Amino acid sequence: MSPAAQPSGEAELTDPWVALEPGADPVERVRVLRRAHETFTEAGTVPRPVRSVVADSWRRSARAGVGPDGSACVELTDGDLGSYRAEHPLARVMPLFRELMGTFAADGEHLLAVCDAQGRLLWVEGHPRTRQKADGMNFVPGARWAESAVGTNAPGTAVALDRPVQVFAAEHFIRRVQPWTCAAAPVHDPRTGRLLGAVDITGGDGLAHPHSLGFVQAVARAAESHLALLTPAPATTDVLELTALGRDEALLVAGGSKVRLSRRHSEILVLLSRHPEGLTGDELLCALYEDESVTPVTLRAELARLRRLLGAGVLGSRPYRLTVPVESDVEVVERKLGVCAVTAAVAAYTGPLLPSSQAPAVVRLRRRLTDGLRAALLSGRDPDLLADWAHAPWGEDDLDAWRALAAIRPTPPVRARLEELEADQSANRGRTPHAPR
């Protein structure tokens, strides 16, 4: 069949992130998508006309235990929501979002929405009648719209993939959201590159156009530029920013510049940041090396290279110590756990500390941080937080987490994964090592 004769609802899209190209028939496309959605929810297979980005998202949604008839849960209300929003970095660019998108949302009967990096809606503003309709599906401030909680949707999928995306009508995983169309783009910290959240435009079929995706991308870039102006890079290394969770090589921000550290330098900076009073050479040797044959000369060579990297006056000696304050993502998670802010701690935890490190002190710190967060999750029994943990790379084999999740959200995918893990555990117990010859 030639492209001219091909049904518009099944036309190939030249940009997989755009939901509907100009000239396509939205009514026909909706019909095709609804049929495809029914096929997937009944048989677990995705028909070809569905975009690959949507098909992948549907599969992730199903694995996370999201049901097509589910709904979003409101996690933050009243004072908790207000204080969280006031402290969030995106609060500083809300006036810019309103200036760039407010009139467009009001005139087009759309909604401007902003979420955090976990897909939790912080602001939802726009046309009053549209807001009233959105209330019926809990598209409201404080509600969790992460992909793992409510399936395919623009803000949730944008933060899950960390890239702009448009979702049209029945591409949404949950049926009650399928009358809507939305486009969202992630927003990052301009200095560290950390994902802060996403900006979204939500409304009817009129948003099913490439221009709406380009629009939110431009707004997100403007927000990042504005944040850079509001927090200019410091002229000196007054503070070191260390990111070591989920990375084998830590990222250091010093003097406004980013440096990816070697694995050994990552370990040294993590340990020195934990000991502002300093560590002797012998203490560092024991903390860093399992092999007792490693000599102090080896350590001194590593420290000399690190001193040149950091610049003059940052790394002191006798004992070895950092002479400027350090802000690390490890300490952020610890502080959140210390005040029982489990949701915030999970949000700040981007993976195990230097996961490939075998340095004894790093291994102990990694285990202590992970165990503390797991204990808080298991005792809190929040199904969304448990689902996020269990579906993360570091939690996919966590039998206790899957058992806790299955106890409160026993969906077929969750039960299937739990049975698989329990079978693996039984098989491992059944294996007996061969006797030495």
Side-chain angles (χ1 to χ4, degrees), residues 95-255:
L96 177 69
F97 287 148
R98 293 180 179 115
E99 179 182 351
L100 296 177
M101 300 178 70
T103 301
F104 175 77
D107 292 349
E109 298 191 7
H110 307 314
L111 297 177
L112 155 65
V114 177
C115 71
D116 65 10
Q118 290 70 50
R120 192 184 298 108
L121 296 178
L122 303 181
W123 291 273
V124 179
E125 302 177 358
H127 194 275
R129 186 164 57 248
T130 310
R131 286 192 62 183
Q132 186 176 18
K133 292 178 182 177
D135 288 350
M137 60 178 183
N138 267 358
F139 195 78
V140 296
R144 182 180 174 85
W145 277 76
E147 190 183 74
S148 62
V150 294
T152 309
N153 71 94
T157 302
V159 295
L161 300 178
D162 195 9
R163 68 151 299 145
V165 64
Q166 188 177 48
V167 179
F168 168 66
E171 289 181 332
H172 288 93
F173 191 78
I174 290 182
R175 292 189 179 97
R176 71 177 62 191
V177 191
Q178 291 180 350
W180 300 80
T181 292
C182 46
V187 182
H188 304 86
D189 185 304
R191 286 199 298 142
T192 67
R194 179 171 65 94
L195 178 66
L196 299 177
V199 58
D200 166 83
I201 188 76
T202 289
D205 291 351
L207 290 176
H209 192 284
H211 290 168
S212 64
L213 184 60
F215 177 49
V216 292
Q217 285 181 267
V219 171
R221 287 194 295 267
E224 291 171 350
S225 298
H226 192 59
L227 284 171
L229 293 174
L230 292 174
T231 48
T236 61
T237 54
D238 292 332
V239 177
L240 300 178
E241 296 180 12
L242 185 64
T243 303
L245 294 178
R247 306 175 60 97
D248 290 325
E249 297 176 329
L251 182 68
L252 179 70
V253 178

Side-chain angles (χ1 to χ4, degrees), residues 237-242 252 261 265-279 284 303 306-307 310-311 313-328 331:
T237 54
D238 292 332
V239 177
L240 300 178
E241 296 180 12
L242 185 64
L252 179 70
L261 303 170
H265 287 169
S266 300
E267 294 166 343
I268 292 172
L269 273 187
V270 164
L271 296 178
L272 291 180
S273 71
R274 309 286 297 177
H275 296 276
E277 75 284 0
L279 294 169
L284 265 179
L303 289 165
L306 180 58
R307 183 176 283 111
L310 295 176
V314 177
L315 178 59
S317 58
R318 297 183 182 179
Y320 294 109
R321 66 197 185 281
L322 296 170
T323 61
V324 296
V326 181
E327 296 179 357
S328 81
E331 292 178 355

